[in-house]
Amino acid sequence: RVESPAEVDALPDFETPVALLAQTTLSHRDWADVLAAARSRFPDLWQPGRSDLCFATTNRQSALLAIAPRCDAVVVIGSANSSNTKALAALAAEAGCPRVYRVNGPDELPPDLSGTVGVTAGASAPEDVVEAVIEHLSPRHGVEEVRVTDEDEYFPPPRRLRDLLRAVERVSRLAFGVAPDDGPPLDDHGIDAASVLSALADRSPT
């Protein structure tokens, strides 16, 4: 396990092929430095075909870098043992924000926050907690949402769930007198497992 270019340089000369994987919530900047050192040290280094950094974590770090320098304080919402939350807090301080606070919720906000306050959250922080923090801050001049990219990643459902989705669609078409093969093919990009299971529960006989 390595966390810095110096630790990469201290690795022994391996006789077998070397692969490099990242903790998914690692800071993008930390990962870039380690990756460059590993590529220099091991020219035949193996890596995954796509970045294994969490896209939500990377996007939030990029957005934070855009706002932190112009904030009087930054509030990072998330657990104290969350690596991506800690990375966000460290990044805000490195970007020049003079006051950075990590909180679990609105009850932990310091009472003297003023000026421009940036709010971000770890990848697993519940949306309702984020909204509660913003509501508690009661910004007088409204909220500016900063986006650096659209999170449009698609995670295909497991094969069994996809088959179940198709079966539910066929039954629904038959119920409305539509031929099963008529109409556009199933698009599951906007359907999650919870919605499917809920729909099945509603159709189950009591």
Side-chain angles (χ1 to χ4, degrees):
R1 182 177 66 88
V2 295
E3 297 183 356
S4 68
E7 292 182 354
V8 173
D9 293 338
L11 290 172
D13 293 325
F14 298 107
E15 296 181 358
T16 54
V18 176
L20 183 65
L21 301 174
Q23 177 180 326
T24 58
T25 54
L26 186 69
S27 163
H28 180 73
R29 295 199 304 178
D30 292 342
W31 167 244
D33 291 341
V34 170
L35 176 59
R39 283 175 170 171
S40 175
R41 179 76 192 281
F42 306 104
D44 296 326
L45 182 74
W46 180 89
Q47 295 175 247
R50 295 183 60 186
S51 171
D52 46 358
L53 294 180
C54 169
F55 74 94
T57 298
T58 301
N59 292 347
R60 292 176 193 210
Q61 290 175 1
S62 298
L64 182 58
L65 283 174
I67 67 170
R70 56 189 178 94
C71 289
D72 298 298
V74 165
V75 173
V76 182
I77 305 166
S79 170
N81 58 9
S82 164
S83 60
N84 70 89
T85 298
K86 290 188 289 186
L88 286 169
L91 192 62
E94 292 172 10
C97 183
R99 302 176 66 188
V100 181
Y101 301 94
R102 186 212 56 81
V103 301
N104 289 303
D107 56 317
E108 296 182 0
L109 288 169
D112 61 340
L113 285 176
S114 61
T116 301
V117 179
V119 177
T120 186
S124 58
E127 187 64 27
D128 60 330
V129 176
V130 177
E131 293 174 356
V133 167
I134 294 174
E135 182 178 356
H136 185 89
L137 290 171
S138 300
R140 287 179 297 175
H141 302 292
V143 176
E144 176 190 354
E145 184 175 351
V146 176
R147 288 179 177 269
V148 295
T149 185
D150 290 324
E151 294 186 356
D152 56 357
E153 293 281 338
Y154 169 57
F155 300 96
R159 181 174 179 178
R160 288 186 178 181
L161 179 56
R162 293 173 68 89
D163 292 342
L164 181 59
L165 285 168
R166 292 189 179 94
V168 170
E169 183 185 39
R170 287 175 62 87
V171 170
S172 298
R173 288 181 176 179
L174 287 171
F176 287 98
V178 180
D181 295 328
D182 288 350
L186 173 68
D187 180 7
D188 57 20
H189 283 66
I191 304 175
D192 56 59
S195 299
V196 176
L197 295 176
S198 176
L200 287 175
D202 292 341
R203 289 182 171 83
S204 298
T206 56

